[in-house]
Amino acid sequence: MATLSVTAAPSAWAGLRNDLIAAAVIAVLGAIGWFVYPDDLAFLTRVIGLAFLVISLDLVTGYCGVATLGHAALFGVGAYAAGNFCLAGVTDPILMLLIGALAGMATGLVSGLLVTRFRGLPQLVLSIAFGQLVAALANKLSSITGGSDGLAGISASPVFGIFNFDMFGRTGYVFSVIVLLITMVVLLRFARSPFALMCRAIKDDTLRTRMIGVSVYPRLVVMYCVAGAVAGLGGALTAINTGVIGLDSVSFERSAEALIMLILGGAGNLWGALIGAILFELFHHYVSAASPFHWMILVGVLLIVVVLFFPKGLVNEVTRRIGDFRQARAAR
Amino acid sequence: MTTLLEVQHLSKSFGGLRVTDDVSFTLASGDRVALIGPNGAGKTTLVNQLSGDLAPSDGRILLAGEDVTKAPIPERVRGGLVRTFQVTRLFTSLTVAENVALAVMQRRGLTRRMFSSVLDRSDVRDEWQGVLSLLGIGHLAATPVTKLAYGQQRLLDLAIGLAMKPRVLVLDEPAAGVPHDESPRILEAIGRMSPEIAILMIEHDMDLVFKFAKRVLVLANGALIFEGTPAEVKENDAVRAAYLGNYADARRAS
């Protein structure tokens, strides 16, 4: 979990145990997906791609308190970069992921330099402006983005030269689950690091962190770069799995949806981001199938219910209530 | 004794209003100095200039002989100038231990680390535990800040400052908002701090000031009107007129 336990044994073993638990949870989730939706793996793969975006958003919004509605830019640029390199002949999926992460990181750097300079409404407006700028560029630069037709024909070579991306999306799904697993284990360690702890402190009280000698701005920019790499990874993964990148990957709607997923699951907690993305997409999947014209109304109702009854997000509220319950039982 | 902080002719104006008026004083290692003055005298404004939160209009601030008048806050902190706040400013989503550990890790240059926690590394742990037990809140280490009583929050505020290993510690009303019978605990905690530290304390509670300070600076309308021992301050007519008179009246009335 993202929360730190000061009573944990001060050993490398405690860290390793946390890693193993996280890996096991994601492997189990992945296996559940495989068996419950055997014919819909493409849908699940899409959810995983989006989860990267939401986790990335959590790093800047949940951990640092940065308000942004332009985060899809980091995801989209990662996707376009991986796609273009693939079309130019770099078809190795792992190299494509790396390219996506680097492109996302570079976008995160530019976006972070701009957005974290300010706080509150100016910050929100700048984030929207940055997102719209990238979206407009994606539309105009059709030679590298395919414009409104999308960038098509992306076809990654087999993973390690062995595992072909098949038409049923099995390889894509397993590949995505593994990338997610590795990313989550690394990020959960990152979330326990002094750097991330300081980011949470900056969110709580920026002036006080400065008064203990912290230069806040560079830290937030670095966090934006990390978030950019994560979002870019998700973008590249989506490009590999779908073979096509549309303008929707950099759209305002994508940014706003990611924020909704984060609030649903619980900001400031990487599990919250992951679960939020899964729940939102599952809800979307079922409700839009049952009621294609009214599903957005139901999303609105769901959000209102969550914010009213679980203001800190589902995962944070559930963990808190379990904690309270345990405390009460221990007190008895 | 070595001079640690030297304030020379410090002035600050907001438009036509002079809120700090040619203030000069020095703090040496081991000093226990109180800064008093009636409400609106400009005490917090003065502290904000010392800490770097507010730029002075004129004058100089020297920290261990080095001019830090224009230095950004982190640079002053690295130089050993640390402050606490009149209203507690804590990291409310974290635990007591994490609050102090962050200050420890920042001072030791560990907060750039991006992989795994160092909170339980023995050298870091010893230090935050040491500070917490010095201030008598060691048993609260694992408690979330939001569950602390106000007096405990004030002590944690001091602990964060202390974890920075300050050479000059500026305490802005450390007992503000603490029930009167609990304020001795704050004073006791300050009393346990290293005798090397130069402490400048802004305080309204005169009992606390007279127990703590060896020297008192009196500020009125932004200017220093008197400097002396607590006994001299009590006897001085100008001070009494500006400040203590009101205080004595208030005490008599209550």
Side-chain angles (χ1 to χ4, degrees):
Chain A
M1 288 287 162
T3 48
L4 279 137
S5 162
V6 292
T7 49
S11 65
W13 166 239
L16 197 64
R17 196 190 53 196
N18 285 331
D19 295 346
L20 288 174
I21 293 173
V25 169
I26 292 179
V28 168
L29 283 178
I32 292 174
W34 176 276
F35 289 112
V36 175
Y37 300 94
D39 304 322
D40 234 345
L41 292 178
F43 159 68
L44 294 183
T45 311
R46 203 175 71 88
V47 175
I48 294 175
L50 283 174
F52 276 86
L53 174 63
V54 184
I55 291 166
S56 163
L57 181 65
D58 196 17
L59 291 177
V60 294
T61 301
Y63 280 79
C64 302
V66 173
T68 164
L69 275 169
H71 212 67
L74 281 56
F75 178 88
V77 172
Y80 280 123
N84 273 297
F85 269 85
C86 183
L87 293 176
V90 184
T91 55
D92 183 80
I94 293 168
L95 271 182
M96 285 172 72
L97 288 181
L98 212 64
I99 290 161
L102 285 175
M105 191 186 272
T107 317
L109 174 67
V110 179
S111 167
L113 282 171
L114 191 72
V115 169
T116 62
R117 198 96 189 107
F118 302 87
R119 283 250 144 183
L121 279 179
Q123 184 174 63
L124 193 65
V125 170
L126 273 176
S127 75
I128 295 172
F130 182 80
Q132 293 303 93
L133 188 74
V134 171
L137 280 175
N139 193 20
K140 287 280 168 212
L141 299 173
S142 50
S143 58
I144 53 170
T145 64
S148 52
D149 297 334
L151 189 68
I154 301 160
S155 172
S157 54
V159 187
F160 300 126
I162 304 168
F163 304 103
N164 246 316
F165 285 95
D166 55 300
M167 62 178 291
F168 304 106
R170 288 188 190 121
T171 305
Y173 180 68
V174 175
F175 181 61
S176 302
V177 170
I178 292 172
V179 176
L180 178 69
L181 187 150
I182 295 169
T183 310
M184 270 300 270
V185 168
V186 171
L187 283 182
L188 286 166
R189 268 190 179 256
F190 171 67
R192 291 190 292 270
S193 71
F195 181 89
L197 192 65
M198 189 59 88
C199 286
R200 287 167 64 198
I202 289 171
K203 182 188 175 192
D204 284 348
D205 194 329
T206 307
L207 178 62
R208 186 69 205 240
T209 51
R210 291 169 70 211
M211 287 298 172
I212 58 172
V214 179
S215 308
V216 171
Y217 179 53
R219 258 166 206 276
L220 294 181
V221 174
V222 170
M223 189 56 138
Y224 239 98
C225 290
V226 175
V230 175
L233 207 55
L237 199 59
T238 306
I240 291 168
N241 285 317
T242 57
V244 56
I245 308 157
L247 283 176
D248 60 315
S249 63
V250 287
S251 66
F252 176 80
E253 288 76 14
R254 176 64 55 87
S255 296
E257 256 180 21
L259 191 61
I260 292 173
M261 294 178 201
L262 181 61
I263 289 166
L264 187 71
N269 183 331
L270 295 177
W271 290 109
L274 178 62
I275 303 289
I278 295 172
L279 287 182
F280 182 89
E281 284 300 313
L282 282 178
F283 187 84
H284 180 174
H285 188 70
Y286 284 110
V287 176
S288 64
S291 165
F293 300 109
H294 304 299
W295 79 275
M296 276 308 283
I297 297 173
L298 290 166
V299 167
V301 172
L302 170 77
L303 252 189
I304 291 170
V305 169
V306 167
V307 172
L308 281 181
F309 295 101
F310 304 93
K312 290 192 169 159
L314 290 170
V315 172
N316 287 335
E317 285 293 327
V318 169
T319 348
R320 187 182 64 79
R321 281 178 200 189
I322 291 173
D324 285 355
F325 175 73
R326 275 193 187 155
Q327 232 174 14
R329 213 173 50 173
R332 243 188 281 135
Chain B
M1 277 195 297
T2 39
T3 302
L4 290 175
L5 184 73
E6 219 173 326
V7 176
Q8 298 173 341
H9 307 292
L10 205 67
S11 296
K12 175 76 188 173
S13 303
F14 290 117
L17 187 67
R18 213 165 164 81
V19 286
T20 305
D21 188 0
D22 195 24
V23 170
S24 298
F25 65 91
T26 58
L27 284 181
S29 156
D31 263 350
R32 296 289 184 268
V33 178
L35 177 68
I36 65 170
N39 274 331
K43 300 183 295 288
T44 296
T45 311
L46 177 60
V47 169
N48 286 344
Q49 291 169 74
L50 297 182
S51 67
D53 213 15
L54 196 65
S57 315
D58 213 352
R60 295 207 305 163
I61 301 164
L62 303 179
L63 182 60
E66 216 163 294
D67 192 339
V68 294
T69 318
K70 293 205 166 76
I73 297 171
E75 202 178 312
R76 295 176 202 225
V77 175
R78 279 193 289 273
L81 176 63
V82 174
R83 72 168 291 187
T84 65
F85 292 85
Q86 191 175 346
V87 178
T88 45
R89 304 194 75 123
L90 302 169
F91 307 126
T92 48
S93 69
L94 310 180
T95 65
V96 169
E98 285 165 348
N99 267 263
V100 180
L102 269 178
V104 172
M105 295 189 288
Q106 174 63 26
R107 204 194 72 244
R108 301 172 67 121
L110 294 170
T111 56
R112 287 195 192 90
R113 295 197 172 207
M114 292 193 170
F115 207 60
S116 294
S117 171
V118 297
L119 209 59
D120 286 317
R121 220 175 70 173
S122 60
D123 51 339
V124 174
R125 192 186 181 98
D126 286 351
E127 217 179 302
W128 61 253
Q129 276 180 338
V131 172
L132 286 179
S133 36
L134 181 74
L135 296 190
I137 47 174
H139 59 290
L140 297 170
T143 313
V145 167
T146 45
K147 299 208 166 150
L148 293 182
Y150 195 69
Q152 294 168 332
Q153 289 187 20
R154 302 286 342 188
L155 286 169
L156 178 57
D157 207 23
L158 287 180
I160 295 173
L162 211 52
M164 295 308 297
K165 290 232 165 107
R167 292 201 281 177
V168 179
L169 183 59
V170 181
L171 306 173
D172 193 353
E173 298 198 31
V178 176
H180 198 74
D181 53 333
E182 272 186 44
S183 63
R185 277 196 64 193
I186 306 270
L187 195 63
E188 208 183 293
I190 296 170
R192 282 199 291 265
M193 290 179 185
S194 156
E196 302 290 303
I197 306 175
I199 301 179
L200 176 69
M201 176 162 90
I202 299 179
E203 190 48 75
H204 264 301
D205 185 331
M206 284 305 137
D207 292 337
L208 216 60
V209 167
F210 290 135
K211 277 180 201 154
F212 159 79
K214 305 269 187 310
R215 188 153 57 98
V216 181
L217 306 171
V218 186
L219 202 67
N221 294 324
L224 275 185
I225 58 163
F226 188 80
E227 179 173 352
T229 64
E232 287 167 350
V233 166
K234 271 190 211 167
E235 300 303 317
N236 188 278
D237 289 339
V239 176
R240 219 194 294 250
Y243 185 60
L244 282 180
N246 301 341
Y247 177 71
D249 288 346
R251 288 284 291 218
R252 219 172 293 132
S254 65

